[in-house]
Amino acid sequence: VREVLGCGFSDPAGLKEILVSMTGLGPGLTPSGDDFLTGILLIIHTGLPRILEERGRELAEGVREASAGTNDISRQYLLCAIRGEYGMGLHELVNACLTQEESSLACPENRGNGQPGQKEKIRRALEKTAAAGHSSGIDTLNGILAGIRLILEYEPCSPGK
């Protein structure tokens, strides 16, 4: 993870090399490296600013090519993620994070109607994702967090650099 964050979107070739090398690494029916990549791919599909879209496509293509190096089940999950297809739990997490409900961030209950507010929906979606598999959920969440940090820490190079 440190290598991924140290490289960042400013060095797309280095980042692609590091991410591709994670394919098939680690324990589990879906190896930890693949789950981490799924989280990164989720951020590529939902959170990249326009300036980084091409780099995101290049990373996804590198993962697609490298997916031959993992098991059949995990390869199918990665190929789905590359197409922007994720399990219900990840869709719920994205929707909870991106759906802005009036006053729901300030109140634990949404407008007093007994429905969970946005914070509660995010908490539940995080718990559901974290509970997936033996370590898959946590590994995927780590990929999501790394993807968010990559975006937040991206600094485009000026023409003089």
Side-chain angles (χ1 to χ4, degrees):
V1 175
R2 283 188 198 105
E3 288 178 347
V4 169
L5 296 176
C7 199
F9 277 114
S10 296
D11 178 9
L15 181 59
K16 181 178 175 181
E17 182 180 337
I18 291 166
L19 291 177
V20 164
S21 73
M22 296 178 77
T23 306
L25 293 181
L29 183 61
T30 55
S32 294
D34 295 351
D35 295 328
F36 181 87
L37 290 169
T38 297
I40 293 272
L41 290 165
L42 179 70
I43 295 303
I44 286 172
H45 283 105
T46 59
L48 281 184
R50 186 171 303 277
I51 192 170
L52 295 175
E53 286 178 354
E54 180 61 32
R55 291 183 183 179
R57 283 190 291 274
E58 291 170 8
L59 291 175
E61 180 58 24
V63 172
R64 186 192 64 73
E65 292 168 3
S67 69
T70 192
N71 67 56
D72 292 342
I73 293 170
S74 196
R75 180 174 30 265
Q76 290 308 311
Y77 276 108
L78 284 173
L79 294 175
C80 285
I82 289 164
R83 292 189 304 266
E85 300 168 2
Y86 301 92
M88 182 62 77
L90 290 177
H91 283 287
E92 289 172 4
L93 178 58
V94 168
N95 288 336
C97 291
L98 297 181
T99 302
Q100 182 71 329
E101 297 174 1
E102 186 177 325
S103 77
S104 67
L105 290 174
C107 302
E109 295 299 319
N110 187 18
R111 300 185 199 168
N113 64 6
Q115 297 299 312
Q118 188 171 14
K119 284 183 181 179
E120 181 62 14
K121 288 179 183 177
I122 292 170
R123 185 190 66 74
R124 289 179 184 175
L126 284 168
E127 287 178 354
K128 184 176 182 178
T129 301
H134 183 71
S135 65
S136 290
I138 295 296
D139 295 330
T140 302
L141 287 173
N142 281 324
I144 291 169
L145 290 174
I148 292 168
R149 283 194 56 193
L150 284 170
I151 292 169
L152 294 175
E153 294 174 4
Y154 174 69
E155 294 183 24
C157 295
S158 63
K161 290 187 175 183

